[in-house]
Amino acid sequence: MKSIEIHTNPAVEEVFSNYPNRAHEKITYLRTLIIDVANKTEGITRLEETLKWGEPSYLVKNGSTLRIDWKKSKPNQYAMFFSCSSKLVPTFRIIFKDVFNFEGNRAIIFPMDKDLQEDELKKCIAVSLTYHKVKQLPFLGL
């Protein structure tokens, strides 16, 4: 497997360290999936891990920003956020309507007490990381 460059803003670790244990575990796993998918996606050589709106965020050339977070106000769930002006979540709603819960056109919501549908989520991550290459394809190529 190729190895991409990961550039991490040190402030990201502080956000991770402030999550309660269970949320930390879940959010860390989402981070691992994002990095794994980026490593396996052709054309991605660099991943930037930073904060946007105080949330861990992942950026690549030709991709759409991914954000992940857990909120105290909704302690029984965590989420992966996508650009609300993109076709990402509307397309995921069609393809994965029976797999994921969604929030508007911006997020996939995960219950804390359920396992992730990892294969389907990896497809969503890959499409987001290559968004500007696939946005013209029917159903984003899914």
Side-chain angles (χ1 to χ4, degrees):
M1 176 168 54
K2 70 176 178 136
S3 184
I4 61 171
E5 283 182 57
I6 301 173
H7 295 266
T8 300
N9 177 332
V12 173
E13 185 53 43
E14 184 177 337
V15 171
F16 273 86
S17 69
N18 286 324
Y19 289 126
N21 288 343
R22 189 142 186 245
H24 182 273
E25 179 181 304
K26 299 286 188 175
I27 294 296
T28 300
Y29 189 66
L30 289 181
R31 177 187 189 267
T32 300
L33 287 179
I34 292 166
I35 293 170
D36 182 53
V37 171
N39 266 315
K40 293 177 180 171
T41 302
E42 187 177 328
I44 296 177
T45 58
R46 183 180 194 274
L47 177 71
E48 182 179 350
E49 182 177 44
T50 190
L51 295 177
K52 291 202 178 266
W53 300 283
E55 300 166 341
S57 303
Y58 301 85
L59 299 85
V60 298
K61 184 178 180 182
N62 296 315
S64 180
T65 302
L66 280 170
R67 293 180 291 119
I68 54 179
D69 204 15
W70 170 88
K71 308 274 189 210
K72 284 182 186 178
S73 61
K74 296 180 180 180
N76 296 321
Q77 68 183 42
Y78 59 110
M80 182 173 286
F81 299 94
F82 304 85
S83 172
C84 59
S85 61
S86 74
K87 299 177 191 176
L88 291 163
V89 173
T91 301
F92 300 158
R93 279 182 182 279
I94 294 167
I95 305 291
F96 301 115
K97 66 180 177 281
D98 297 325
V99 178
F100 296 123
N101 296 316
F102 300 94
E103 182 178 286
N105 285 338
R106 71 184 203 121
I108 299 175
I109 304 299
F110 309 104
M112 291 292 279
D113 62 349
K114 302 256 170 132
D115 290 336
L116 286 177
Q117 299 297 318
E118 191 174 305
D119 291 339
E120 294 87 346
L121 183 57
K122 283 181 175 182
K123 291 176 185 177
C124 296
I125 293 168
V127 167
S128 183
L129 294 176
T130 59
Y131 183 68
H132 294 289
K133 292 182 175 182
V134 301
K135 66 183 177 183
Q136 76 288 351
L137 298 175
F139 299 106
L140 305 175
L142 284 170

